[in-house]
Amino acid sequence: MTPSSAYSFLSHLECSRTGERYDADAVQGTSSAGAPLLARYDLERVRDTVTPRDIAGRVPDLWRYHEVLPVRDERHVVSLGEGMTPLLPMRAYGRRAGLTRLLMKDEGLVPTGTFKARGAAVGVSRAAELGVKGVAMPTNGNAGAAWALYAARAGMGSLIAMPDDAPPITMAECQIAGAELYRVDGLIGDAGKLVGAAVGERAGYQEVSTLKEPYRLEGKKTMGYEIAEQLGWRMPDVILYPTGGGVGIIGIHKALREMRELGWVEGDLPRLIAVQATGCAPIVRAFEKGARESEPFANARTVAFGITVPKALGDFLVLDAVYETGGTAIAVTDEQLLAAQAELAELEGAFICPEGAACFAALEPLRESGRIGADEEVVVLNTGTGVKYPETVRVDVPLLAKDGRIPGRG
Ligand SMILES: *Cc1c(COP(=O)(O)O)cnc(C)c1O
């Protein structure tokens, strides 16, 4: 393989706590310190090999950034066409929130209806390339659905465990993909214990829990690359992200730093804002105390299911991303986020997920406290489609009489 024609410039893995190096061409979990491993690339060679102009002519999916993704051989790419989601102006909602330049990156358009497909596409592709036969994970629903379907496409097995009250559609997705699926009477952490125990008994299976393997993060970081590319290789002032396990916000932060090192963007990084629900806000609590890590959040509960993570393995990386960029962390109530979800649909025609809606609900308090200026360019990540959460809308539809009369109109 000549360096100049490499599909990937992955060089090694690095412990996110100690910086210790690990071999990227072996199947790896966490570091010996129990911390997430971060993929590192030979960015100097990437800079010499590819330019934003080259990328512009490529297929509009996340594999257009393949030099900074971990899959070494293009033939191992397992894709359902994920990535290059639209970056849409939100003028009406922006007016309501007092913002002149509000944009939404809409991840509802990716396969499986959430941005989890990005992590699954890259994670499954790289696992297949390294000879993994099956993947096992606990999930709040969306990640399990995405990994089960991408594993099916890769001809790989999957073992998924999710809380009993996870969105039923995500169970249906796992089941139709042929996953070995279990429900647990508890939260994602309880599902994790079951998976940890089960994976040891299955030869060739890898545990791919959030940040316990290095490549899901690489898939999710492509949201950061896309935002910059879609703005003409420029960064916005602020990015809001609904934060659960934190992979998305950590990934965007990583992408921004890589792009700056590559010389693809210049200047200060956008302020990264971690948004949570008041029913599960460990990162917000830690931020308010100025802490570098979070405490487990007791009795976690919110309708924004994807962000119900009481204690994230990568909490310190989320907090780093927020502190380093001069961002903040903020929580909104379920009532506020559901109201924002309804307003988005009425004002913008966008039926977004409750997690994404949490970010929109956070805009008003952030404007009022002066944390976001009226004319700043603000990007909100809508991490999934509302279509996956029909139960968030109370449907109350009058029945027409047989003669077609509208009830109550005589
Ligand atoms: C998983 C999930 C999140 C949280 O993402 P992290 O990267 O784990 O913080 C947000 N929204 C939706 C719809 C999700 O499924």
Side-chain angles (χ1 to χ4, degrees):
M1 186 167 66
T2 59
S4 61
S5 65
Y7 188 69
S8 167
F9 286 88
L10 178 67
S11 61
H12 63 281
L13 301 172
E14 190 181 286
C15 173
S16 54
R17 279 196 195 273
T18 65
E20 193 187 343
R21 289 171 73 106
Y22 288 78
D23 180 7
D25 289 303
V27 175
Q28 302 279 11
T30 51
S31 73
S32 56
L37 290 173
L38 302 175
R40 296 298 182 206
Y41 301 83
D42 188 341
L43 294 179
E44 228 163 274
R45 294 238 296 272
V46 174
R47 195 187 306 127
D48 293 343
T49 307
V50 63
T51 64
R53 193 189 293 255
D54 299 326
I55 290 170
R58 293 180 178 172
V59 173
D61 63 31
L62 63 77
W63 299 99
R64 64 204 277 110
Y65 310 110
H66 59 77
E67 285 90 351
V68 287
L69 292 173
V71 177
R72 294 212 187 272
D73 184 337
E74 188 172 4
R75 286 169 302 184
H76 292 138
V77 167
V78 179
S79 176
L80 291 164
E82 57 287 332
M84 277 319 248
T85 54
L87 188 61
L88 304 165
M90 293 282 145
R91 292 194 190 90
Y93 196 90
R95 266 194 300 280
R96 173 73 52 96
L99 290 164
T100 58
R101 294 194 295 156
L102 177 62
L103 297 162
M104 173 172 84
K105 183 146 179 75
D106 192 4
E107 294 292 301
L109 277 81
V110 290
T112 76
T114 75
F115 81 110
K116 292 292 196 304
R118 293 180 186 264
V122 174
V124 164
S125 297
R126 182 63 177 153
E129 185 166 72
L130 294 173
V132 169
K133 297 286 174 262
V135 289
M137 70 186 326
T139 173
N140 277 332
N142 288 330
W147 282 72
L149 286 155
Y150 279 85
R153 186 155 172 89
M156 208 185 253
S158 60
L159 184 156
I160 314 281
M162 62 174 76
D164 209 16
D165 53 352
I169 181 66
T170 62
M171 288 189 200
E173 290 174 279
C174 291
Q175 199 162 319
I176 202 163
E180 186 182 341
L181 177 66
Y182 300 99
R183 294 177 290 142
V184 296
D185 184 11
L187 294 178
I188 188 167
D190 304 293
K193 284 175 210 146
L194 183 146
V195 166
V199 75
E201 297 162 9
R202 284 169 181 72
Y205 268 63
Q206 185 186 10
E207 187 184 342
V208 294
S209 309
T210 305
L211 291 170
K212 287 194 178 170
E213 63 75 51
Y215 301 120
R216 187 202 297 208
L217 177 63
E218 296 306 289
K220 292 188 175 182
K221 84 177 177 188
T222 56
M223 291 186 287
Y225 278 88
E226 288 178 19
I227 290 169
E229 182 175 2
Q230 289 171 319
L231 292 175
W233 297 103
R234 194 171 60 66
M235 295 185 285
D237 297 306
V238 178
I239 298 176
L240 286 90
Y241 190 85
T243 304
V247 190
I249 193 167
I250 298 165
I252 290 171
H253 187 221
K254 184 172 189 281
L256 295 166
R257 291 169 48 155
E258 285 174 1
M259 285 187 287
R260 201 163 60 175
E261 205 172 321
L262 286 165
W264 293 0
V265 294
E266 288 173 353
D268 288 339
L269 298 189
R271 308 199 299 284
L272 297 179
I273 300 185
V275 180
Q276 299 197 300
T278 49
C280 183
I283 299 290
V284 177
R285 268 194 194 162
F287 177 81
E288 284 168 355
K289 284 193 246 161
R292 307 230 63 110
E293 282 181 33
S294 66
E295 299 291 330
F297 197 93
N299 304 319
R301 186 157 198 93
T302 162
V303 292
F305 218 84
I307 53 176
T308 318
V309 182
K311 167 73 183 166
L313 185 67
D315 56 356
F316 65 105
L317 296 170
V318 174
L319 288 159
D320 277 356
V322 170
Y323 291 132
E324 258 185 56
T325 60
T328 188
I330 182 172
V332 297
T333 65
D334 279 9
E335 201 182 356
Q336 290 171 319
L337 68 89
L338 289 173
Q341 187 194 33
E343 268 192 313
L344 253 289
E346 274 184 35
L347 292 174
E348 300 282 7
F351 184 9
I352 68 172
C353 66
E355 294 85 353
C359 292
F360 283 99
L363 291 172
E364 207 179 290
L366 288 166
R367 270 291 299 123
E368 279 170 6
S369 65
R371 288 218 154 248
I372 301 181
D375 296 318
E376 288 195 297
E377 188 170 47
V378 177
V379 173
V380 166
L381 266 295
N382 173 44
T383 41
T385 174
V387 172
K388 286 195 86 171
Y389 300 75
E391 67 286 351
T392 56
V393 183
R394 199 173 59 86
V395 178
D396 180 14
V397 187
L399 182 69
L400 278 184
K402 284 259 160 48
D403 61 5
R405 257 186 320 108
I406 293 173
R409 287 236 188 139

